[in-house]
Amino acid sequence: GENVEQHPSTLSVQEGDSAVIKCTYSDSASNYFPWYKQELGKRPQLIIDIRSNVGEKKDQRIAVTLNKTAKHFSLHITETQPEDSAVYFCAAISDDKIIFGKGTRLHILP
Amino acid sequence: DGGITQSPKYLFRKEGQNVTLSCEQNLNHDAMYWYRQDPGQGLRLIYYSQIVNDFQKGDIAEGYSVSREKKESFPLTVTSAQKNPTAFYLCASSLRGNTIYFGEGSWLTVV
């Protein structure tokens, strides 16, 4: 079946460094790719998204890139801060399906 | 996100008991979903509905049931057939092919 592979499952970076999380999808019909941040005990919340007709989108310290040919998309967080520590989920969405990656636990080290 | 209301936030279930989790949305979304999340794990789809009076099983539907009698409401019943129901349950909704928004979640514990 269709799936989304997300890597790495755990990521530790020094405060101030950059973090990159990558996802690969298999459903060619996917045309919308959101990223969610989930803090402990809370619901996932949308932090950035990208549609298939766009290659890159940036919002302050967060950016998402999409390579539709390779079916890859990535989340980039620059100048990481302690409040960036959380679990991040990617998703690939078509008109009929929503498939989430398994999540990446990001630790920001002091 | 404020447009999806889940209740109760905390619920305790005794062995052999059915419990129902409520989910209401005022976002006029056609699609609604239920996910289960175990500690430290990802999101697993239980059931989803893309239109009133219709719903589909997700990856882990056994031991759960749903109804979709109104566009705004998608309650989830955890039946006694679900042997390990302790988890965090998330309701969500979306317009077709668009952003999925989550409710605040319900914590279910078996006592």
Side-chain angles (χ1 to χ4, degrees), chain B residues 27-94:
Chain B
L27 301 170
N28 201 31
H29 287 169
D30 289 312
M32 296 187 74
Y33 313 83
W34 275 105
Y35 288 91
R36 169 177 171 150
Q37 190 173 35
D38 292 285
Q41 302 298 311
L43 304 165
R44 293 192 290 167
L45 183 64
I46 305 171
Y47 269 98
Y48 66 100
S49 167
Q50 293 185 322
I51 196 169
V52 174
N53 292 322
D54 188 44
F55 48 83
Q56 310 295 328
K57 292 182 180 180
D59 301 317
I60 56 164
E62 187 175 349
Y64 301 96
S65 66
V66 293
S67 63
R68 186 86 187 277
E69 296 177 1
K70 298 187 300 182
K71 187 175 185 179
E72 303 79 17
S73 179
F74 191 41
L76 174 74
T77 297
V78 185
T79 74
S80 56
Q82 173 48 244
K83 297 306 178 188
N84 185 22
T86 295
F88 187 46
Y89 290 86
L90 286 158
C91 178
S93 72
S94 74

Side-chain angles (χ1 to χ4, degrees), chain A residues 52-72:
Chain A
S52 58
N53 57 348
V54 176
E56 183 173 359
K57 183 176 178 181
K58 192 172 182 180
D59 182 4
Q60 300 182 351
R61 296 187 297 109
I62 295 173
V64 56
T65 58
L66 172 64
N67 182 331
K68 200 174 180 198
T69 303
K71 295 183 183 170
H72 291 166

Side-chain angles (χ1 to χ4, degrees), chain A residues 32 36 38 43 51 95-96, chain B residues 37 96 98-100 102:
Chain A
Y32 174 59
Y36 292 84
Q38 187 179 28
R43 60 182 155 184
R51 295 208 174 263
D95 283 352
D96 299 310
Chain B
Q37 190 173 35
R96 194 179 186 194
N98 279 285
T99 307
I100 184 170
F102 290 90

Side-chain angles (χ1 to χ4, degrees), chain A:
Chain A
E2 309 295 354
N3 72 330
V4 172
E5 297 283 342
Q6 183 172 344
H7 297 282
S9 57
T10 305
L11 178 61
S12 296
V13 301
Q14 291 293 138
E15 183 178 347
D17 288 350
S18 296
V20 180
I21 302 170
K22 299 181 179 181
C23 288
T24 304
Y25 64 98
S26 59
D27 185 358
S28 298
S30 297
N31 54 20
Y32 174 59
F33 307 92
W35 285 89
Y36 292 84
K37 176 183 181 181
Q38 187 179 28
E39 296 177 346
L40 193 62
K42 303 279 184 68
R43 60 182 155 184
Q45 295 205 297
L46 178 73
I47 54 171
I48 197 167
D49 56 9
I50 192 167
R51 295 208 174 263
S52 58
N53 57 348
V54 176
E56 183 173 359
K57 183 176 178 181
K58 192 172 182 180
D59 182 4
Q60 300 182 351
R61 296 187 297 109
I62 295 173
V64 56
T65 58
L66 172 64
N67 182 331
K68 200 174 180 198
T69 303
K71 295 183 183 170
H72 291 166
F73 58 112
S74 300
L75 176 70
H76 305 253
I77 306 174
T78 59
E79 301 173 16
T80 53
Q81 299 171 3
E83 54 264 36
D84 294 330
S85 291
V87 177
Y88 292 81
F89 292 98
C90 64
I93 298 179
S94 67
D95 283 352
D96 299 310
K97 287 180 191 167
I98 298 174
I99 304 174
F100 284 94
K102 291 190 183 303
T104 296
R105 185 170 299 276
L106 176 62
H107 298 278
I108 306 301
L109 306 172

